[in-house]
Amino acid sequence: MKRIIAGLALASAAALVTATPAQAAPADPVKALKKQFAAGKGVRISESAVNKVTGSKAGAPVTTKGVLGFGKSGVVSADLRTGGKGAGLLSSLPPHTITVGKYTYAQGGLFSEQLPDGKKWVRYPSSGAPRTGNQPLDIFRPNVLKELVTSAKSFKGGSYRGAITFGRLAKLYGEKLDKKYGKVAIKYVLDVNSKGLVSRLRTEYSLDFGLLGKTTSTVSTRYTGWGGKVTVKAPPTDQVIDYTELGEDSGVPEELPDGSLDSLKPVE
């Protein structure tokens, strides 16, 4: 009788193993991203960034919402609005920017003061790819996304978790960065959907501002509407003035934040 029971138990176990479907390998996020790169297509972003100085309460969040337009190799256009209670502290960050072609157009706050009658936008030359928010990790660069996926310490429930240093990120971006900031780590949680497309990115990193204290920045960005139709147009020409046309006494900032890693480091 014991042999019969043992035999039935083994048979049942074998049946369970046979009946359990093999778990499919997760979709490749890099391949999924590259498939999205097509003219006229894009993605929507919704972001919240918060800074907290050690020993004090977290600051008010800075929010960014808008659309990013794709070309054959990545982001080529953007229409972003920045606001929230914490946005007032970032006077150099325009409340509204539009990037098309070789130019970025800024509006609101300091960028709408002391402009000639009828002018509502200030035009700046665009350097490199359009700004895609306040995330230090640009998931629209395939080499960066690949690094985040392959270097992640874990993958569970559609989330990649890991950390990357500013030094390593600078190499991926092709930027120069002071060595003393190179070892600062950016912790991240990268969520992807069943197709491998990024649905959310959460990052956290701390920088020492000396007498101003140590500041921890937390940024959370959601990505929706992948592959949707996106059209970003430049503002009407008659409403635009080039920065070089403004006088020396103008209160309009001379340049836009470039989003480089070097711009994130503490002021000496």
Side-chain angles (χ1 to χ4, degrees):
M1 180 61 72
K2 291 182 178 180
R3 291 182 179 179
I4 294 175
I5 294 175
L8 289 174
L10 289 173
S12 298
L16 287 173
V17 172
T18 304
T20 302
Q23 185 176 0
D28 185 339
V30 178
K31 290 183 178 179
L33 173 67
K34 290 182 177 180
K35 288 181 180 179
Q36 296 295 310
F37 292 161
K41 303 295 183 180
V43 67
R44 290 187 171 277
I45 71 166
S46 179
E47 181 178 275
S48 177
V50 176
N51 290 331
K52 182 182 184 302
V53 178
T54 301
S56 64
K57 294 182 179 180
V62 176
T63 60
T64 299
K65 296 182 179 181
V67 296
L68 305 175
F70 296 142
K72 293 182 178 180
S73 59
V75 179
V76 296
S77 62
D79 187 339
L80 301 175
R81 293 179 181 272
T82 299
K85 295 182 179 180
L89 300 176
L90 303 176
S91 58
S92 62
L93 195 62
H96 190 186
T97 58
I98 293 177
T99 301
V100 180
K102 298 179 180 180
Y103 300 100
T104 294
Y105 304 83
Q107 181 187 62
L110 294 177
F111 297 85
S112 291
E113 297 179 0
Q114 302 177 21
L115 297 185
D117 290 342
K119 302 299 181 181
K120 300 180 179 180
W121 295 85
V122 181
R123 186 178 70 178
Y124 295 84
S126 180
S127 57
R131 172 176 167 264
T132 59
N134 294 310
Q135 281 288 4
L137 306 182
D138 187 351
I139 59 99
F140 298 104
R141 300 192 190 200
N143 65 329
V144 173
L145 183 57
K146 181 179 180 180
E147 181 75 14
L148 300 182
V149 171
T150 58
S151 298
K153 295 181 179 179
S154 68
F155 175 73
K156 184 179 180 180
S159 296
Y160 292 91
R161 296 174 180 268
I164 183 172
T165 64
F166 272 102
R168 176 57 181 159
L169 197 57
K171 291 181 179 180
L172 294 173
Y173 286 176
E175 297 181 12
K176 292 183 178 180
L177 185 69
D178 194 314
K179 291 183 179 179
K180 63 183 177 181
Y181 305 115
K183 293 183 179 180
V184 176
I186 304 170
K187 299 177 182 178
Y188 66 86
V189 179
L190 182 74
D191 298 334
V192 297
N193 61 23
S194 59
K195 296 181 179 179
L197 293 169
V198 178
S199 59
R200 187 182 181 187
L201 173 62
R202 287 161 286 176
T203 59
E204 181 179 305
Y205 60 95
S206 298
L207 293 174
D208 192 347
F209 284 76
L211 295 177
L212 297 178
K214 188 176 182 180
T215 300
T216 298
S217 299
T218 304
V219 188
S220 177
T221 310
R222 292 186 180 277
Y223 306 88
T224 59
W226 284 97
K229 183 178 180 181
V230 170
T231 301
V232 179
K233 295 182 179 180
T237 304
D238 60 349
Q239 296 181 9
V240 176
I241 184 170
D242 196 278
Y243 172 76
T244 57
E245 298 179 60
L246 298 174
E248 295 182 358
D249 297 330
S250 172
V252 176
E254 297 182 6
E255 58 184 13
L256 297 175
D258 59 9
S260 66
L261 296 179
D262 191 63
S263 67
L264 296 174
K265 72 181 183 181
V267 178
E268 300 291 349

